[in-house]
Amino acid sequence: MGNEEVVIRVANLVKSYETAAGAFPALKGVDLAVRAGEYVAIMGPSGSGKSTFMNLLGCLDTPTSGDYFLAGRNVASLDRDELAVLRNRTIGFVFQGFNLLPRMSLEDNVALPLVYRGVDREPRRARARQLLERVGLGQYAASLPSRISGGQQQRVAIARALVNEPQLILADEPTGNLDSHTSEEIMALFGEFNREGITVVLVTHEPDIANHARRQVRFLDGRIVSDRATGGEAA
Amino acid sequence: MFRFMLAEAWHAMGANRLRTGLTMLGMVIGVGAVVIMMAIGQGAQYAVKQSIASMGSNLFIVLSGSFTTGGVRSGAAGAPTLNVADAAAIAELDGVINVAPVHQGTRQLVYGPNNWNSQVVGTTPSYLDARAWTVVSGAPFGDSDVRSATRVALVGATAAKNLFGDEDPVGKTLRIQQSPFVVVGVLGSKGQSLDGRDQDDTVIIPLTTAQRKVFGTPFQGSVRMITVQAASDEAMPVVEKGIEALLRQRHRLREGMENDFYMRNLSATAESQAETTRTMSLLLGAIASVSLLVGGIGIMNIMLVSVTERTREIGIRMAIGARERDILSQFLLEAIIISITGCFIGLVLGVGMALLVHAVSGMVVVISGGAVLVAFAVAAGVGVFFGFYPARKAARLDPIEALRYQ
Ligand SMILES: Nc1ncnc2c1ncn2[C@@H]1O[C@H](COP(=O)(O)OP(=O)(O)OP(=O)(O)O)[C@@H](O)[C@H]1O
Ligand SMILES: [Mg+2]
């Protein structure tokens, strides 16, 4: 694993939020490198800066200072459209609240990143269906998100995150809204995709969930306080 | 890609039908108003043009002083100040091509059991030339009929229809004030005059006969009105001055005395009326355009609300790779669809209303392809113009701010 390509490299990453009470430092200098194919769980108490960090990794937000290289590219040097392309092709983001578009069928939801990539209608539909089948929801392709359960919605969101074959999956508490049984199913999916070579970074509060990963990074008060390898899914 | 975007826009609009419908209504009313106003305005212009064309060109009328009130001194005891000799003298002036003394009034016409009130015009044959009036069947009367005061008549289309129905009037005898007149010809149709009178509701008879048998005036040879046609538009000012000088001399008016006659330049009056209708139709169009503008602002308003409401959706789209132009075109497309659909409905409604106005009031309406095209282009423009600001606002959102919304 030591020689593999570095997907994420952050150095001295700082993020301060402007609040009414002045600048609030949510990240106080974070260094981390994640290699291709890794499966990382990020843990830490509430307010320790995990989501802040994930949003920076996902190119949804910009750091106050520090460097972020994603797949070898300096993210700070990219303009808005280049960041959009990165979010479209390189990163798949999975949210705690699923974030499906409520008026669109599941198939259209999954296909949306392909639309922004400019993929034609037929291959787009074929690919979206393929992903829906993959997460076991092929028969609901034409349904609206409101017609299926939370766990199923999260599976659709994972299908959407993967539809453009990204190098990296970022998931901020993907099981936070789900019961433990459903959570296990979702984690099984992440494990499956990780074994196919996709790098996975996920945030969780639950040790059970974190144990699916092979590396655990712990945040406290805007800093990384521990970073250790674990047994992974076998554990 | 575009099909997908269309379908999406359709969905988004369908999600709030009432609101989309109300927004569209603004456009519908705006475009409908523009279309109907333009149809009526252009119709009025068209009607005026027709009237001017039917009136005859480069016309003056000289009115006897006793005929008008205010400003012009009356002749003694109501006697007209103009006479046939004045007319003959005017005819000798340079630049004058037709002169016709006229004595007219409304009288009842009788044919068998039918009777009908028409304008009876006593005049000379030059009247037909001055007014560019044709005789479609039969023949006009001549100067000899005027000299010997024969009882012959030319009937206008409306009078002919009401008196004679389907019969051919030529050769028939009608009565005016108990006197029988033989119809020698039927006049071609002229339609409405500028003041809205039906010019075909008329009978033309020799001046002399009119004065003796119909109007029974005690002032034989005097007339209240002389119609004068100048050779050309350019000749009109010269002719006007010439007539004034001539009549002042003939009427022995010393310097400082007011004219005992009054001149009207019919062509100039017509021109100014055409100008008035043009201005009116522009004004109508302008007023209607304001409602189009209001419709556009309505679109902007709703699009702004829509952008705010869908902030989170925009954030999600950005998180999965939508670029600025993707978001921009999505919202712009919605605005354009609303305005074009509204425009189309407004067009159909406007044309329908214009036709209804025509059917109900008989008002002339003109719906030109050009006007329709302009309305469409303007509506699309309004959609782009008023949709652009909200769409850009959406496209410029910060992904993380948008995702955090609510
Ligand atoms: N937009 C913001 N503006 C101001 N302060 C913020 C903002 N977002 C987060 N914070 C603050 O930054 C700190 C870190 O927040 P963050 O959401 O990253 O924590 P977290 O580790 O994800 O917590 P949790 O486990 O509850 O999700 C918190 O103290 C939070 O209040
Ligand atoms: Mg968090």
Side-chain angles (χ1 to χ4, degrees), chain A residues 17 55 60-61 80-81 84-85 87-88 95 99-101 103-104 108 112-113 115-116 121 124 160, chain B residues 1 3-4 8 11 15 312-313 316-326 395-397 400 404:
Chain A
Y17 289 114
N55 291 335
L60 295 170
D61 207 352
R80 272 170 70 90
D81 277 358
V85 170
R87 290 194 293 268
N88 186 242
F95 302 88
N99 275 348
L100 299 178
L101 295 186
R103 285 191 299 268
M104 274 190 192
D108 284 343
L112 201 53
V115 171
Y116 293 132
R121 185 177 147 84
R124 198 169 67 209
R160 179 179 66 185
Chain B
M1 177 85 184
R3 235 172 94 183
F4 184 86
E8 266 210 273
H11 258 93
R312 194 171 168 78
E313 172 194 325
I316 295 170
R317 288 172 184 274
M318 287 176 162
I320 61 173
R323 290 155 302 185
E324 277 191 27
R325 59 173 165 276
D326 296 317
R396 296 253 174 110
L397 283 175
I400 192 70
R404 278 201 194 112

Side-chain angles (χ1 to χ4, degrees), chain B residues 10 20 28 34 40 61 121 135-136 147 162 259 267 273 286 301 340 350-351 367 381 393:
Chain B
W10 185 250
T20 307
V28 170
V34 168
I40 288 173
I61 50 174
V121 179
V135 174
V136 288
R147 272 195 302 277
N162 285 288
N259 287 345
S267 302
Q273 182 142 2
N301 201 356
I340 287 193
V351 169
I367 294 156
K393 199 175 154 195

